[in-house]
Amino acid sequence: MIGRRAALGLIGGAAGATLLPGGLAAKPARKPPRLRLGDTVGLVAPASAITLPDELDRALHWITGMGLVPRLGAHVSERDGYLAGTDAARAADVDAMFADPKVRAVFAIRGGWGCARILPLLDWKAIAANPKLLIGYSDNTALHCAIAARAGFPTLHAPNAASRWERASWESLWRIAFAGATPVLGGEAVEAAVGRPARAVVPGTAQGRLLGGNLTILSTLMGTGWLPDLTGAVLLLEDINEEPYRIDRMLQHLRLAGVFDRVAGVVFGQCTRCDLRDPDYEGFTLDEVLDRHFAGLQVPVIAGFDTGHVTDQLCLPVGVRVELDAAARTLRMLEPAVA
């Protein structure tokens, strides 16, 4: 992660209607406030329990190193089976951070499983009235999707607080959340720097709200009422530890639900440890699965974009209008994520 002095140098260079449940159009939501050095931010554990010895210390280290002041949720150290406390306790921490006027953004400490369990318990009226950047990924996709559906303000698909905040992650966070900039994300230079080349499955350009996140969670939420309207969206997908046939099954779920008939484009990020290494394996590779689902679409598609369960992943603005350029493997923000 770059230092605070370098971060200060970066800042110098640096909507449509929301659909409420029932399909009623609402006024565009206010955007979250931009972050400033010295701001207080909330740290919550809305999913799995914090089990690694240094996990919480890592989160505090990274957040403090960003020039922010961390405020821990009251229940982050609790445990209820594999969850970070009861559903009610985890929901109460999220609610408290959105309700507290001194808290400028909310970081998820980790993912795992459990965010979907708290969706019905959250105070959505209060969350919608107090827009703040929710920052995290993986299982936190459930919160990103629900906020896009029920509150309508942008969030950040980004490393969790206890993840490794390497240069690409930190710099993209700074430009989006601190500077309020509209950067071009991805592309050849980024791919070369992180050593993960992407590819254009279907070339072309498209514009739309960036929505989605973890494929498993997105598939789980289909048909529940907690997903935003994906019509005209640039759909973001990533996953980890899923064999090709499982990726195939989840993509087919989205296909049968009509998702691929409605989106303006698809950005498939990294799928970490998703290709089998068994020399006797005779099934499809991950790339073959992706090509079979996406190559025939009449919208631009990227595979291997720099997001997901990898180091140096880019921070991506969920709910913000972007332009996807598949040939260049880039996402260009068309509006700021913050006010």
Side-chain angles (χ1 to χ4, degrees):
M1 188 173 74
I2 63 175
R4 195 177 303 183
R5 179 177 300 176
L8 285 169
L10 282 173
I11 197 168
T18 301
L19 289 180
L20 296 176
L24 298 177
K27 293 180 180 179
R30 292 181 294 127
K31 290 187 177 179
R34 69 180 61 195
L35 290 176
R36 305 162 304 193
L37 296 177
D39 275 349
T40 296
V41 296
L43 270 64
V44 296
S48 290
I50 297 172
T51 56
L52 298 177
D54 63 343
E55 202 162 13
L56 189 54
D57 288 340
R58 284 206 315 270
L60 294 172
H61 165 77
W62 289 118
I63 300 304
T64 302
M66 294 174 187
L68 301 170
V69 179
R71 176 173 296 176
L72 293 175
H75 304 284
V76 296
S77 296
E78 294 181 7
R79 185 165 185 175
D80 182 31
Y82 42 73
L83 301 167
T86 65
D87 293 346
R90 301 193 322 280
D93 276 2
V94 175
D95 280 343
M97 294 304 180
F98 275 97
D100 189 338
K102 295 181 180 178
V103 172
R104 300 270 293 185
V106 183
F107 284 78
I109 297 172
R110 63 159 303 169
W113 161 249
C115 288
R117 296 175 58 95
I118 69 173
L119 296 182
L121 304 179
L122 293 172
D123 185 344
W124 287 103
K125 183 176 180 180
I127 290 173
N130 296 282
K132 300 174 185 182
L133 285 176
L134 173 81
I135 301 168
Y137 81 115
S138 193
D139 189 66
N140 296 292
T141 292
L143 293 174
H144 290 305
C145 288
I147 289 173
R150 302 295 173 101
F153 57 78
T155 57
L156 279 184
H157 184 278
N160 297 319
S163 302
R164 290 190 62 83
W165 282 85
E166 303 288 0
R167 185 181 183 88
S169 304
W170 164 239
E171 288 187 349
S172 54
L173 175 73
W174 181 269
R175 290 186 168 90
I176 295 170
F178 287 77
T182 55
V184 175
L185 300 162
E188 184 176 359
V190 170
E191 294 168 13
V194 300
R196 292 187 293 266
R199 63 188 179 97
V201 180
V202 181
T205 62
Q207 295 182 1
R209 279 207 305 163
L210 186 67
L211 295 170
N214 182 261
L215 174 59
T216 296
I217 300 304
L218 202 70
S219 177
T220 300
L221 293 179
M222 292 298 301
T224 65
W226 292 100
L227 283 180
D229 184 1
L230 297 174
T231 303
V234 173
L235 181 64
L236 172 66
L237 301 171
E238 62 82 29
D239 222 312
I240 184 173
N241 290 335
E242 297 289 353
E243 296 179 22
Y245 82 89
R246 294 177 181 171
I247 298 296
D248 187 1
R249 180 172 62 198
M250 290 185 284
L251 291 176
Q252 185 64 23
H253 184 185
L254 269 60
R255 178 181 294 278
L256 293 174
V259 170
F260 297 145
D261 297 327
R262 304 198 302 272
V263 299
V266 180
V267 177
F268 198 100
Q270 296 293 311
C271 201
T272 305
R273 297 191 295 275
C274 292
D275 250 332
L276 295 174
R277 297 294 183 262
D278 184 349
D280 297 323
Y281 175 69
E282 297 179 350
F284 300 125
T285 65
L286 175 64
D287 280 344
E288 288 172 335
V289 168
L290 298 183
D291 287 346
R292 283 170 174 257
H293 278 282
F294 296 138
L297 295 185
Q298 302 301 306
V299 299
V301 181
I302 301 174
F305 195 75
D306 186 25
T307 186
H309 291 71
V310 289
T311 58
D312 265 316
Q313 68 162 305
L314 295 168
C315 297
L316 301 180
V318 177
V320 167
R321 284 187 57 77
V322 299
E323 181 178 78
L324 163 64
D325 185 334
R329 285 102 56 209
T330 58
L331 286 173
R332 178 170 65 92
M333 291 176 61
L334 299 177
E335 59 178 324
V338 293

